[in-house]
Amino acid sequence: MVVRETCVAIWDVLHPAVMAQPQKEDWLQIADIFLQSCNFPNCVGAIDGKHICVKKPIRSGSQFFNYKKYFSFVLFAVCDANYCFRYIDVGSYGSSSDSAVLGHSAFGQMLNNNELDLPGNTALPGTTYPAMPFVFVGDEAFALGEHLMRPYSSRGLSIARWVFNYRLTRARRVVECAFGILANKWRFLHSPIHLKLETAISAVKAACVLHNFVRVRDGFNFEESLSHSLESPNPSNNNGMALIIWSKSIHLLSITNQ
């Protein structure tokens, strides 16, 4: 009871302060940071779901049994380029797909009904036409929409589509990194949570707002691995496949920097 009441209090106090719904000016600031750090324009968030391992809830059948063969509920999150959560939905069945979780969440409903106060369509940097919408980026689990981008299928990609997938993945990875930061900071997420389902959900929600609280007050100074300069490969320490990946990466970076 103490754990549950404490987690509920943390959520109630911190949620309005560190995870309030962004307004139009906030979305524009988020998009600017995504453009600077990930080279992906008109992006206002990365979305994904994370399975939170729990002991089997009483009388739940197989609803919480996921494709990874353990019991879980889903933490669905929208993340900005500073690895802060802008929206979370916690508690969906582990057997649900990420697309289904999005569709049933309040965020998904607001996205479909254009109630998120997103900025109007604008031209991409370096162009004057056409005006493009602001979008969230996700993986192949999500359906393509006006304000939701997903990568092309990996089969038979042209150079242009390969570059697009690279840039989208570069933007989408921030939500996966945010999940990693969250789990390493609040380490109860590394093992099954032995609490009642309602208490476990409250604990995860409290961890998410504490994550934002710490990120804001610690600052966003971190070492960006994708901005490092690439050094020459050492053939004696790399096999043929590594050299192929290296040469393809060099070719891609030369295209994206044009």
Side-chain angles (χ1 to χ4, degrees):
M1 184 63 69
V2 171
V3 172
R4 182 177 181 181
E5 290 180 353
T6 302
C7 291
V8 170
I10 291 173
W11 169 261
D12 290 342
V13 172
L14 290 184
H15 178 255
V18 300
M19 205 184 291
Q21 181 174 332
Q23 303 301 314
K24 187 172 298 184
E25 295 76 13
D26 301 318
W27 293 125
L28 289 172
Q29 293 177 5
I30 294 172
D32 288 340
I33 299 175
F34 266 107
L35 179 59
Q36 296 170 13
S37 61
C38 303
N39 203 19
F40 197 95
N42 286 26
C43 178
V44 289
I47 64 174
D48 201 6
K50 175 180 174 59
H51 287 275
I52 306 297
C53 185
V54 293
K55 69 175 183 179
K56 182 183 181 299
I58 299 174
R59 295 186 293 276
S60 63
S62 61
Q63 291 176 320
F64 291 92
F65 194 70
N66 63 36
Y67 70 97
K68 298 180 179 180
K69 309 301 181 185
Y70 61 83
F71 292 94
S72 67
F73 59 82
V74 178
L75 162 60
F76 172 80
V78 180
C79 188
D80 63 24
N82 287 322
Y83 307 108
C84 287
F85 298 117
R86 292 295 182 159
Y87 173 86
I88 60 171
D89 180 88
V90 188
S92 296
Y93 297 138
S95 59
S96 301
S97 66
D98 288 346
S99 181
V101 173
L102 171 63
H104 290 95
S105 67
F107 174 83
Q109 297 295 326
M110 290 189 292
L111 181 63
N112 291 333
N113 297 328
N114 293 321
E115 297 175 350
L116 290 176
D117 195 25
L118 295 176
N121 296 0
T122 182
L124 300 180
T127 67
T128 57
Y129 181 85
M132 303 297 291
F134 285 82
V135 297
F136 299 89
V137 293
D139 58 20
E140 295 86 348
F142 297 98
L144 184 67
E146 179 183 1
H147 297 289
L148 180 57
M149 298 295 291
R150 51 166 287 171
Y152 287 105
S153 173
S154 58
R155 297 181 179 179
L157 287 177
S158 64
I159 292 296
R161 292 189 175 188
W162 199 78
V163 171
F164 174 83
N165 278 5
Y166 163 77
R167 292 196 178 186
L168 185 144
T169 302
R170 191 172 173 181
R172 184 185 60 81
R173 70 180 177 86
V174 300
V175 66
E176 297 181 354
C177 292
F179 286 147
I181 296 170
L182 174 72
N184 284 322
K185 176 72 73 171
W186 316 105
R187 302 188 68 85
F188 74 97
L189 297 173
H190 277 304
S191 58
I193 303 176
H194 293 277
L195 297 171
K196 291 183 179 179
L197 182 62
E198 296 79 7
T199 307
I201 291 173
S202 296
V204 172
K205 292 168 66 175
C208 289
V209 291
L210 285 171
H211 166 87
N212 281 12
F213 183 85
V214 172
R215 292 289 300 170
V216 170
R217 281 150 185 78
D218 281 357
F220 303 127
N221 295 324
F222 58 93
E223 191 174 8
E224 177 56 79
S225 59
L226 290 181
S227 64
H228 288 177
S229 60
L230 300 178
E231 299 177 356
S232 300
N234 185 353
S236 62
N237 295 329
N238 295 277
N239 57 26
M241 182 58 69
L243 291 177
I244 293 174
I245 295 174
W246 180 272
S247 61
K248 196 168 186 180
S249 299
I250 293 294
H251 176 63
L252 175 62
L253 289 174
S254 65
I255 293 174
T256 56
N257 290 329
Q258 291 178 356

